[in-house]
């Protein structure tokens, strides 16, 4: 039997480094000397914040926020040269200041449809908050937003995913009725509304019947796997583990559906905490599967979903030999055999320190770290986004 090692073109093209640790073993992060520009950086236009990126065949679509501490606007730009230049921004919310923000998160999310349309969903800062959806055709102005109502206990985060047939799935976190908000903790769950044309949506339907407890402050994300066609939703739970215990389940849960109708649920991690910090998560396309990134307990992680089992592989995290760091707001992308993760970090012993934007690259197969670094400029606030370049390498957008 002949064993064949399939690995990154980068590893085949570059000589391995010879640095060793104190026991004479090769350091994993020095297996490959990355080119100086393998990870590049790009700024959002017009001082934008909180980017979300959707990558199509020939272009990028970027959603970002402008505004104040509690409300602002969501704008969409496109790029056909991998972030070197952007189109004129298009505001998604028709009335200025009608996109909600809380601390360093906003509730907007986007996806690209098969026809090049950009689909955006967000929550408003009204009282009560409401859910909105809008479609931006490939050529033309944004269409009038669709009002999806104000479900009781609607949370900030929402998600949208469009499958290969153009079917739109809007996900959000809310209670079933006002009485559910009186429970301790309040009982919320994941809901979906579907549409084929972006004009008429199906009635709300709960999709995770195994749990009525979701995190009020977790960013939810959704993605349709381009190879398998599986629809995934990643979110954080928030329910009581024991009736008299203040500790809640803050673990990540993954939903999946083969047809967009029936969903099954699996655990990703099982973090327990009294606190409910605002957190970020992301799903995106990997070579033959879906890449997931999330934060939990002051650290950030990535994993590839096993295609047949619809469960996560063992998660990876950026470890270092230096002082302990608190890491948050991850963004990840997969390229030609590599995975790149970007995040914010500060020393654990310095809670008031300004966070740095850091990154690390791993080989996808073997999951060995092969390079890391920090952004050349300070981050204004929020989180980064990241996408792979066609010729190899990654660009971090912030």
């Amino acid at each position: 039997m002949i064993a064949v090692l399939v690995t990154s073109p980068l590893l085949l093209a570059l000589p391995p480094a010879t640095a060793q640790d104190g026991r004479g073993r090769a350091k994993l992060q020095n297996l490959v000397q990355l080119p100086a520009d393998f990870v590049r950086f790009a700024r959002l236009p017009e001082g934008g914040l909180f980017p979300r990126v959707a990558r199509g065949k020939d272009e990028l679509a970027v959603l970002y926020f402008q505004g104040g501490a509690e409300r602002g606007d969501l704008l969409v730009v496109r790029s056909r040269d991998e972030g070197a230049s952007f189109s004129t921004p298009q505001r998604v919310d028709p009335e200025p200041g009608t996109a909600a923000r809380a601390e360093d998160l906003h509730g907007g999310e986007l996806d690209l449809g098969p026809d090049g349309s950009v689909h955006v969903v967000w929550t408003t800062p009204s009282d009560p908050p409401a859910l909105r959806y809008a479609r931006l055709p490939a050529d033309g102005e944004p269409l009038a937003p669709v009002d999806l109502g104000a479900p009781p206990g609607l949370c900030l985060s929402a998600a949208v995913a469009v499958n290969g047939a153009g079917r739109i799935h809007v996900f959000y976190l809310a209670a079933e009725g006002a009485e559910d908000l009186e429970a301790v903790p309040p009982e919320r769950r994941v809901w979906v509304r579907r549409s084929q044309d972006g004009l008429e949506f199906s009635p709300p339907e709960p999709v995770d019947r195994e749990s009525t407890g979701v995190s009020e402050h977790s960013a939810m994300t959704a993605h349709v796997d381009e190879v398998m066609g599986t629809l995934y939703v990643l979110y954080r739970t928030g329910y009581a583990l024991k009736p008299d215990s203040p500790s809640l389940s803050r673990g990540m849960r993954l939903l999946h559906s083969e047809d967009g109708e029936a969903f099954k649920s699996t655990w990703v991690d099982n973090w327990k905490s009294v606190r409910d910090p605002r957190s970020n998560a992301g799903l995106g396309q990997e070579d033959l599967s879906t890449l997931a990134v999330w934060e939990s307990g002051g650290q950030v992680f990535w994993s590839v979903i096993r295609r047949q089992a619809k469960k996560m592989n063992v998660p990876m995290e950026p470890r270092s030999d230096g002082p302990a760091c608190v890491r948050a707001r991850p963004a990840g992308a997969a390229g030609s055999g590599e995975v790149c993760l970007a995040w914010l970090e500060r020393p654990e012993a310095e809670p008031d320190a300004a966070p740095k934007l850091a990154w690390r690259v791993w080989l996808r197969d073997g999951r060995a770290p092969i390079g890391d670094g920090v952004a050349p400029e300070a981050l204004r606030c929020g989180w980064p986004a990241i996408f792979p370049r066609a010729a190899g390498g990654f660009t971090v957008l912030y």
Side-chain angles (χ1 to χ4, degrees):
M1 180 180 294
I2 300 175
V4 179
L5 176 63
V6 179
T7 188
S8 162
L10 179 67
L11 185 58
L12 299 175
L14 297 173
T18 58
Q20 296 179 335
D21 63 15
R23 298 182 181 180
R25 299 174 299 189
K27 292 184 178 180
L28 290 179
Q29 63 265 33
N30 292 319
L31 286 174
V32 173
Q33 184 63 47
L34 290 178
D37 64 345
F38 191 77
V39 176
R40 302 174 186 172
F41 296 87
R43 284 288 197 179
L44 287 165
E46 300 183 349
L49 303 169
F50 316 118
R52 300 289 193 192
V53 174
R55 187 178 180 90
K57 182 179 179 181
D58 301 314
E59 68 174 359
L60 297 170
V62 182
L63 175 73
Y64 63 90
F65 179 90
Q66 281 186 335
E70 296 182 355
R71 62 177 62 221
D73 299 311
L74 293 175
L75 298 101
V76 168
V77 291
R78 300 174 188 254
S79 176
R80 293 186 175 274
D81 52 14
E82 299 186 316
S85 64
F86 295 99
S87 64
T88 302
Q90 295 179 300
R91 195 175 72 216
V92 178
D93 48 316
E95 298 180 10
T98 52
R101 170 185 168 182
E103 297 178 17
D104 58 350
L105 291 173
H106 68 77
E109 185 62 278
L110 86 162
D111 197 12
L112 267 172
D115 62 352
S117 293
V118 177
H119 302 258
V120 181
V121 63
W122 73 98
T123 54
T124 69
S126 54
D127 185 15
L131 187 66
R132 298 286 187 270
Y133 160 87
R135 179 166 63 90
L136 290 71
D139 298 308
E141 294 298 316
L143 302 182
V146 178
D147 183 354
L148 295 179
L154 178 66
C155 297
L156 178 69
S157 183
V160 59
V162 186
N163 67 14
R167 194 183 194 200
I168 305 157
H169 304 80
V170 170
F171 298 93
Y172 60 94
L173 308 172
E176 191 158 1
E179 64 278 4
D180 295 323
L181 300 176
E182 299 175 1
V184 181
E187 294 185 353
R188 294 180 174 91
R189 62 195 321 166
V190 182
W191 300 80
V192 65
R193 298 188 68 174
R194 308 175 183 90
S195 175
Q196 193 62 50
D197 58 9
L199 300 174
E200 299 291 334
F201 282 80
S202 64
E205 180 182 335
V207 296
D208 188 0
R209 300 184 180 279
E210 298 177 24
S211 171
T212 58
V214 301
S215 165
E216 181 181 358
H217 298 147
S218 171
M220 180 173 54
T221 183
H223 174 70
V224 177
D225 189 272
E226 296 173 8
V227 178
M228 300 292 289
T230 307
L231 174 59
Y232 292 105
V233 181
L234 182 64
Y235 73 100
R236 184 178 300 287
T237 62
Y239 61 85
L241 295 168
K242 298 179 181 179
D244 298 327
S245 173
S247 181
L248 303 182
S249 169
R250 302 297 185 190
M252 299 299 294
R253 190 185 286 267
L254 180 71
L255 298 170
H256 74 270
S257 175
E258 303 292 346
D259 56 7
E261 299 290 336
F263 287 80
K264 296 182 180 180
S265 176
T266 60
W267 278 108
V268 175
D269 67 21
N270 197 17
W271 180 43
K272 302 175 182 67
S273 177
V274 176
R275 297 175 57 245
D276 186 16
R278 297 199 180 275
S279 60
N280 201 22
L283 292 171
Q285 192 62 35
E286 195 262 341
D287 182 20
L288 296 175
S289 187
T290 292
L291 177 75
V293 301
W294 68 95
E295 57 181 290
S296 195
Q299 294 300 316
V300 295
F301 304 88
W302 69 268
S303 182
V304 173
I305 299 174
R306 301 200 299 274
R307 296 170 61 197
Q308 301 301 328
K310 310 297 188 298
K311 296 180 180 180
M312 297 287 189
N313 282 324
V314 176
M316 297 293 296
E317 60 179 305
R319 299 178 180 179
S320 62
D321 296 329
C325 289
V326 175
R327 299 182 173 97
R329 307 299 181 264
S336 301
E338 304 89 28
V339 171
C340 186
L341 189 67
W343 65 89
L344 308 185
E345 73 173 29
R346 62 164 177 80
E348 190 177 73
E350 301 177 34
D352 297 326
K356 295 181 179 179
L357 174 54
W359 60 268
R360 179 167 291 181
V361 176
W362 289 262
L363 293 176
R364 192 277 189 196
D365 295 325
R367 306 196 297 177
I370 55 175
D372 51 33
V374 296
E377 299 177 279
L379 189 75
R380 287 187 294 268
C381 76
W383 62 69
I386 186 169
F387 58 87
R389 300 191 301 272
F394 299 88
T395 296
V396 179
L397 187 61
Y398 68 112

